[in-house]
Amino acid sequence: MNFQPEQNFNFQQQFEIPEENFVQSAQEEFAQRSHEAESQPLEPEQFRKVFIGGLSYKTDDEKFKAYFSKYGELVDYVVMKDKESGKSRGFGFVTYTNSAQVDELMRNRPHIIDGRQIEPKRATPREDSGRQEVQATVKKLFIGGLKDAITEEDLKSYFSCYGNITDCVIMKDKEKNTSRGFGFITFDDYDPVDKIIIEKHHLINGINLQCQKALPKDSQNNRANSNNRGPRAPFNNSGGGRNRQGGFGMNGQHAQFDGMNNFGNFNQMPMNQRRASGPMRNNRGFGNRSQGPYGKTVGLSYFF
């Protein structure tokens, strides 16, 4: 007895999606994902923006965009130009869609455009525009607010995610061998320090740390002597201005430390309470971009 199937199955028709339906399905899925990505809020701009210094004067906007697009999606880019001549001022800014793309850019240094090695640096938020120490390029970080519950291993464990640590020390009292409430971490690169400062809020064992760039005392004195824009905010919170003893201003008391007292005064006041000084644009963003973030101010800044 021969069995005859009632129907011959076309497996291709049963198990394959017609090409036109497949394309339509893929397009709909892509559109849905794009809509979901657009609906998600962006990170604050300060985490996504990079100052680009050392540009060749022949680098134009298109070449600028093409190069930095290799490291992520750009939402904004600009080569700053002189208002009168229209020529490049040798620096610019790029803004990515997320901070991970900034990390990728910084990991792939050095960068060379038009035969010149550029100088990328995370842009400093506008609220810190009066703090000259914030824009300094250093590899050493001052950490205040340390309690006895925090060890050097705790510091290494937390901050090692930002970069390669070459030195970590918590300053201790000679006689009691107890923590003096502050310490230092040194990296092999300046970018980890910049990122830590921009993020601002750092918590270890439930304790909020006060992180600032460790500046050589000489560089602070030179900056103070050359400052012709009027008085600056004090570096300590004792009301007496900068201390002159190579220590740190901590609630009005000078914290001396052996072998490392070439690092000058640091303000332990919360950053949001400090008085900003220096020139700032009144409008948000660049406005008339041909003048740059400071109009005709001489020199370069990492502020935006």
Side-chain angles (χ1 to χ4, degrees), residues 204-224:
I204 297 181
N205 296 341
I207 299 171
N208 189 31
L209 305 182
Q210 301 167 357
C211 299
Q212 300 177 26
K213 292 182 177 180
L215 301 181
K217 179 182 177 182
D218 291 342
S219 69
Q220 290 189 351
N221 290 338
N222 291 338
R223 186 181 299 113

Side-chain angles (χ1 to χ4, degrees), residues 229-241:
R229 292 183 296 179
R232 299 174 59 189
F235 275 84
N236 58 41
N237 54 4
S238 63

Side-chain angles (χ1 to χ4, degrees), residues 140-143 152 167-172 174 180 182-186 214-217 245-248 255-266:
K140 195 162 191 173
L141 183 71
F142 166 81
I143 305 172
E152 291 180 359
D167 188 42
C168 176
V169 59
I170 293 178
M171 307 311 298
K172 295 185 177 181
K174 281 185 177 181
R180 301 178 66 183
F182 65 95
F184 297 92
I185 289 182
T186 305
L215 301 181
K217 179 182 177 182
Q245 303 180 26
F248 290 84
Q256 297 291 337
F257 48 96
D258 297 329
M260 301 182 69
N261 61 359
N262 59 330
F263 289 92
N265 326 290
F266 288 81

